[in-house]
């Protein structure tokens, strides 16, 4: 089975699949086959190492990515793939909280406030606080609260730091956050950011619950680790603390979610987090998606990033066509250019859509 699982893989991909014990950092460049590595690693643990499927956790960022991973593992393993926990951070936390949130004084049948419910509630709070919503958009206030929660700041923490801030928005957020959280609690509701924050609170207040999940998940995988925020990082660190079989996959050069609280230091400092253990670092640098000219251009741009781990993407696909450059004047101009190029390819080169 091992030879089948490693079939068609390059040396570095195979090494990532076979390195199962202890902390593992897989620095995966764009188009380097990281999803294949993750799915085959999970299959290898079950088929060759005899690990129970229910002792494996794989965390991705979107429902679509989770479904794709579950399907791909299913093709490799069949029925046993059903017992692997493959989910987003939020879905994982919902499952944990539905079982144990009563230990925090909440009802297990708590509701999850969606975006429209959050906005309705915040508009009401702004009205109570006599906030001019034309000047201070409720969405901006909710965004600030979300950022605070992702940085693990409670309403009390935020108020202590910002009640007398020079920035008027921060002062408003400090008051609004306290009322907002109180309303959610009275309604036995959580927002999306609470799901992770409350799970961490549960683990910290109830060591038995944390130990239950540490014993459950012997092997943990996290995709797109460069996009984790402080709360997600803390959650993973707590879950992996016992067995330390944590495999994180990502690429600091592809970090694009700083605006929603992602902390690139999480991937850059991974080796320091586990300096008392042997950390394996594997770089996936062979690109299967692009040709040489495209990768040369990408490498030339990426090397200017100040905070990064050095790596150089390469391909055996040859140089390919040279790159064309078009500087659009606006978003509409860019869209029109792309549509015209597609039409040109359809008419002149008989391509299909």
């Amino acid at each position: 089975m091992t030879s089948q699982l490693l079939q068609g893989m390059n040396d570095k991909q195979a090494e990532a699949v076979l390195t199962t014990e202890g902390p593992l950092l897989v620095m995966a460049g764009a188009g380097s086959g990281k999803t294949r590595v993750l799915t085959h690693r999970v299959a290898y643990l079950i088929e060759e190492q005899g690990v129970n499927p229910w002792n494996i956790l794989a965390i991705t960022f979107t429902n679509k990515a989770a479904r794709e991973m579950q399907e791909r593992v299913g093709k490799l393993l069949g029925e046993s793939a059903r017992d692997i926990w493959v989910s987003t951070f939020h879905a994982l936390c919902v499952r944990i909280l539905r079982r144990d949130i009563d230990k925090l004084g909440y009802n297990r049948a708590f509701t999850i406030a969606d975006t429209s419910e959050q906005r309705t509630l915040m508009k009401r709070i702004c009205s109570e606080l006599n906030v001019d919503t034309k000047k201070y958009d409720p969405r901006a206030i909710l965004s600030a609260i979300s950022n605070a929660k992702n940085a693990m700041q409670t309403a009390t923490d935020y108020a202590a730091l910002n009640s007398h801030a020079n920035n008027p928005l921060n002062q408003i957020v400090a008051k609004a956050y306290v009322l907002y959280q109180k309303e959610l609690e009275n309604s036995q509701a959580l927002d999306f950011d609470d799901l992770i924050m409350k799970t961490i609170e549960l683990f910290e207040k109830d060591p038995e619950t944390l130990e239950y999940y540490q014993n459950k998940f012997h092997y943990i995988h996290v995709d797109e680790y460069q996009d984790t925020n402080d709360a997600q990082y803390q959650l993973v660190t707590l879950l992996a603390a016992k067995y330390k079989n944590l495999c994180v996959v990502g690429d600091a050069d592809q970090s694009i979610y700083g605006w929603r609280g992602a902390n690139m230091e999480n991937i850059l400092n991974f080796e320091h987090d586990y300096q008392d253990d042997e950390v394996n670092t594997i770089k996936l640098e062979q690109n299967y998606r692009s040709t040489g000219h495209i990768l040369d251009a990408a490498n030339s741009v990426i090397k200017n990033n100040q905070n990064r781990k050095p790596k150089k993407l390469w391909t055996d696909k040859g140089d390919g066509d040279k790159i064309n450059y078009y500087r659009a004047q606006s978003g509409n101009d860019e869209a029109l250019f792309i549509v015209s190029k597609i039409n040109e390819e359809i008419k002149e080169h008989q391509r299909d859509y």
Side-chain angles (χ1 to χ4, degrees):
M1 182 71 180
T2 304
S3 57
Q4 284 178 287
L5 286 172
L6 301 181
Q7 197 170 6
M9 286 193 168
N10 63 46
D11 291 347
K12 291 297 179 184
Q13 289 175 326
E15 187 184 347
V17 169
L18 298 174
T19 306
T20 58
E21 303 307 303
L24 171 65
L25 170 62
V26 181
M27 296 293 283
S32 60
K34 68 180 174 67
T35 306
R36 187 162 183 250
V37 165
L38 271 176
T39 51
H40 283 244
R41 190 176 192 272
V42 169
Y44 176 76
L45 282 166
I46 294 167
E47 290 290 324
E48 297 297 317
Q49 302 293 96
V51 176
N52 295 318
W54 51 87
N55 291 141
I56 296 174
L57 170 65
I59 305 173
T60 67
F61 267 81
T62 65
N63 290 319
K64 182 184 174 189
R67 280 194 302 272
E68 183 188 347
M69 188 178 290
Q70 191 86 57
E71 285 166 10
R72 288 171 74 162
V73 175
K75 285 177 184 173
L76 294 170
L77 295 174
E79 289 294 309
S80 60
R82 287 183 182 178
D83 295 322
I84 303 162
W85 279 42
V86 181
S87 77
T88 63
F89 277 101
H90 293 101
L92 167 69
C93 291
V94 169
R95 287 181 77 171
I96 293 169
L97 293 173
R98 288 283 179 221
R99 181 182 178 270
D100 289 302
I101 199 172
D102 54 321
K103 290 166 185 169
L104 294 179
Y106 278 78
N107 190 315
R108 289 184 191 179
F110 64 87
T111 57
I112 300 170
D114 63 24
T115 308
S116 64
E117 289 167 331
Q118 287 176 271
R119 284 184 191 161
T120 302
L121 173 55
M122 187 50 68
K123 282 175 185 172
R124 183 151 53 82
I125 289 168
C126 286
S127 177
E128 282 178 37
L129 294 172
N130 291 320
V131 172
D132 181 354
T133 52
K134 288 180 181 173
K135 192 174 179 183
Y136 299 105
D137 189 340
R139 285 178 297 184
I141 298 170
L142 283 167
S143 178
I145 291 172
S146 175
N147 288 338
K149 289 184 179 185
N150 288 332
M152 294 302 296
Q153 288 182 332
T154 63
T156 309
D157 295 335
Y158 192 91
L161 288 168
N162 294 282
S163 291
H164 304 291
N166 292 328
N167 184 330
L169 176 61
N170 288 15
Q171 290 182 17
I172 290 166
V173 172
K175 293 174 187 171
Y177 188 178
V178 172
L179 294 175
Y180 172 76
Q181 207 58 30
K182 200 172 285 183
E183 285 289 333
L184 286 178
E185 287 173 18
N186 289 342
S187 305
Q188 289 290 299
L190 304 180
D191 66 18
F192 286 109
D193 300 307
D194 280 330
L195 294 172
I196 296 174
M197 203 172 178
K198 289 293 178 189
T199 304
I200 293 168
E201 186 185 333
L202 172 66
F203 286 164
E204 290 177 338
K205 286 189 175 175
D206 191 69
E208 281 185 23
T209 301
L210 173 59
E211 191 177 6
Y212 171 84
Y213 285 101
Q214 286 176 337
N215 286 328
K216 180 172 179 56
F217 300 128
H218 296 196
Y219 294 88
I220 299 173
H221 305 76
V222 186
D223 196 9
E224 307 292 4
Y225 194 66
Q226 77 279 354
D227 291 328
T228 52
N229 59 39
D230 292 345
Q232 291 160 340
Y233 163 81
Q234 199 168 330
L235 178 71
V236 170
T237 303
L238 285 167
L239 285 171
K242 183 169 185 178
Y243 288 99
K244 296 182 180 176
N245 295 323
L246 174 62
C247 169
V248 302
V249 182
D251 179 10
D253 293 326
Q254 294 185 69
S255 182
I256 58 169
Y257 289 116
W259 56 274
R260 70 173 187 199
N263 185 353
M264 200 168 65
E265 298 298 320
N266 292 345
I267 195 167
L268 294 172
N269 292 335
F270 183 79
E271 288 147 315
H272 301 300
D273 290 342
Y274 294 93
Q275 55 192 359
D276 295 336
D277 305 273
E278 186 185 348
V279 178
N280 287 291
T281 301
I282 297 170
K283 292 181 184 179
L284 303 184
E285 297 175 298
Q286 183 174 357
N287 177 287
Y288 293 91
R289 192 183 294 157
S290 305
T291 51
H293 284 309
I294 291 171
L295 291 184
D296 287 344
N299 285 327
S300 297
V301 173
I302 289 167
K303 72 180 182 186
N304 295 300
N305 289 352
Q306 292 178 343
N307 209 2
R308 69 185 296 260
K309 289 183 182 290
K311 77 177 176 311
K312 189 173 175 69
L313 295 176
W314 62 276
T315 183
D316 57 9
K317 284 178 172 282
D319 288 339
D321 295 339
K322 288 193 173 179
I323 294 171
N324 289 308
Y325 172 70
Y326 177 77
R327 184 168 185 170
Q329 301 302 310
S330 66
N332 285 345
D333 182 21
E334 181 182 3
L336 285 168
F337 172 75
I338 291 167
V339 170
S340 70
K341 294 305 288 183
I342 290 170
N343 281 333
E344 191 180 299
E345 291 293 325
I346 300 291
K347 289 173 184 170
E348 295 181 18
H349 301 110
Q350 283 72 54
R351 289 183 186 261
D352 57 35
Y353 286 109

